[in-house]
Amino acid sequence: MNRPHESPPTVLVVEDEPELVEIYGTYLRDEFDVLTATSGAEALALVDGTVDVVLLDRGMPNMSGEEVLEELRARGCDTSVAMVTGSEPDADIVELPFDEYLVKPIERERLIRTVQLLTNRSSFEEKSREFFRLASRKNSFETEANVDKEVYAAL
């Protein structure tokens, strides 16, 4: 995230479905530098200080998006991560350190808006970023999840 002001932000699209990699790349290329990976291992090899946002598929084979996210955070990488998934969020996302949660299918405008939002947030102090992470999880539960209200209240 140490890039000159004139350069567009770099987005890493991590998705095991090549068609979605192509679609997301097409959506984003006009405004961002786009890198792509079709596996967790490939993604981990690409993430460095120049990647501003990671769009991370949660349900990849071999190494899930959750495992990639865990490894990124274990490495001390604070790059903004949007978890992208085909399933509604459940109580298991409470402890995941993602910044946004997107449920497929994702429209072009929403994907661009999410990347812009995460790029803007990357300049915030850590406490503010953590606040927005928590707010995103709460919003995911309230708008996307099929979670029992009593379970949600207990969280």
Side-chain angles (χ1 to χ4, degrees):
M1 297 203 291
N2 299 325
R3 67 175 44 272
H5 224 314
E6 306 81 41
S7 294
T10 299
V11 179
L12 172 60
V13 176
V14 185
E15 170 63 61
D16 64 315
E17 295 182 44
E19 301 82 21
L20 287 178
V21 171
E22 184 61 33
I23 289 169
Y24 296 160
T26 300
Y27 287 173
L28 299 169
R29 280 193 180 93
D30 287 344
E31 294 187 43
F32 308 99
D33 287 336
V34 179
L35 301 173
T36 61
T38 56
S39 71
E42 189 179 355
L44 290 171
L46 290 172
V47 174
D48 59 19
T50 65
V51 174
D52 298 290
V53 175
V54 177
L55 298 175
L56 182 57
D57 181 19
R58 186 175 183 194
M60 296 183 295
N62 300 322
M63 183 179 226
S64 72
E66 292 174 28
E67 292 169 317
V68 173
L69 181 58
E70 256 181 53
E71 179 61 25
L72 288 173
R73 298 307 187 225
R75 291 179 181 184
C77 178
D78 67 348
T79 299
S80 296
V81 175
M83 192 66 77
V84 181
T85 180
S87 60
E88 295 176 344
D90 204 343
D92 63 341
I93 71 166
V94 170
E95 298 299 322
L96 294 176
F98 60 82
D99 296 276
E100 285 293 324
Y101 195 91
L102 301 172
V103 178
K104 298 173 187 175
I106 305 165
E107 295 177 1
R108 180 182 187 275
E109 294 76 24
R110 180 152 189 225
L111 192 65
I112 291 170
R113 192 173 55 247
T114 298
V115 172
Q116 290 169 335
L117 179 75
L118 294 178
T119 300
N120 290 337
R121 282 188 200 162
S122 68
S123 65
F124 294 177
E125 293 180 12
E126 183 54 36
K127 284 188 177 196
S128 295
R129 291 183 68 199
E130 182 59 24
F131 168 80
F132 283 110
R133 283 184 184 126
L134 294 171
S136 176
R137 284 182 227 151
K138 181 179 185 290
N139 184 58
S140 294
F141 274 119
E142 292 176 351
T143 61
E144 307 274 0
N146 188 15
V147 177
D148 183 307
K149 300 298 181 202
E150 290 179 21
V151 172
Y152 175 68
L155 298 173

